[in-house]
Amino acid sequence: MIERLRSGARMSQAVIHGNTVYLAGQVAADPTKDVPGQTREVLAAIDQLLTEAGTDKTQILSATIYLADIGTFAQMNSVWDTWVPQGYTPARATVEAKLAAPAYKVEIQVIAALA
C-alpha cells in the first residue's frame, strides 16, 4: 500500500511505502531569508512532515542537501548541526545546484523509516 500526504497536481510532499517515508525536497516558505534562516525553515517543514507521517528526525535514513552556493556550506551546517540529534545522524550528501527559483538558497530532501 502507498499513502501520499499533501498531494497536488505535480507532486506529493510525502509518500509512505512499507516502513519508509520519502519526502519531497523542502524549501523555505520565506526565500528572502539568508542561508541559516532558510535552513531553519526547511528543517521545521521536515519535522512537520515527518510528524504527519508518524515518525521523526531520529528515524532519518538519508538526506540530500542542495545549496545554490556551496560556499554557504558552513552556514547551513551551523543550523543542521544543532538540529540533527547526536547519535542519529543520517547518511548525507550535499551538492551545489541551481534551485527552482533564484531566491532559494537551500533545499533538503530526506528518506526516513517509520518510528
Side-chain angles (χ1 to χ4, degrees):
M1 180 175 177
I2 298 173
E3 181 181 356
R4 299 173 199 284
L5 304 178
R6 297 192 204 175
S7 294
R10 181 168 292 152
M11 59 188 265
S12 296
Q13 291 299 311
V15 175
I16 303 166
H17 181 252
N19 290 321
T20 308
V21 180
Y22 304 87
L23 297 190
Q26 299 299 303
V27 295
D30 181 359
T32 65
K33 291 186 177 181
D34 61 6
V35 169
Q38 286 194 27
T39 303
R40 279 188 280 280
E41 284 196 0
V42 168
L43 296 176
I46 289 170
D47 279 332
Q48 187 174 5
L49 280 167
L50 290 174
T51 297
E52 286 179 38
T55 192
D56 62 49
K57 63 186 169 187
T58 66
Q59 301 300 305
I60 296 175
L61 303 170
S62 69
T64 304
I65 301 170
Y66 303 95
L67 297 174
D69 178 359
I70 200 70
T72 62
F73 184 71
Q75 294 174 50
M76 179 276 302
N77 272 331
S78 70
V79 177
W80 173 273
D81 291 346
T82 62
W83 176 80
V84 70
Q86 288 296 323
Y88 295 95
T89 53
R92 190 184 106 168
T94 305
V95 299
E96 182 177 75
K98 196 175 273 193
L99 302 181
Y104 292 121
K105 296 169 175 51
V106 180
E107 181 171 346
I108 301 175
Q109 184 272 329
V110 302
I111 299 170
L114 286 177

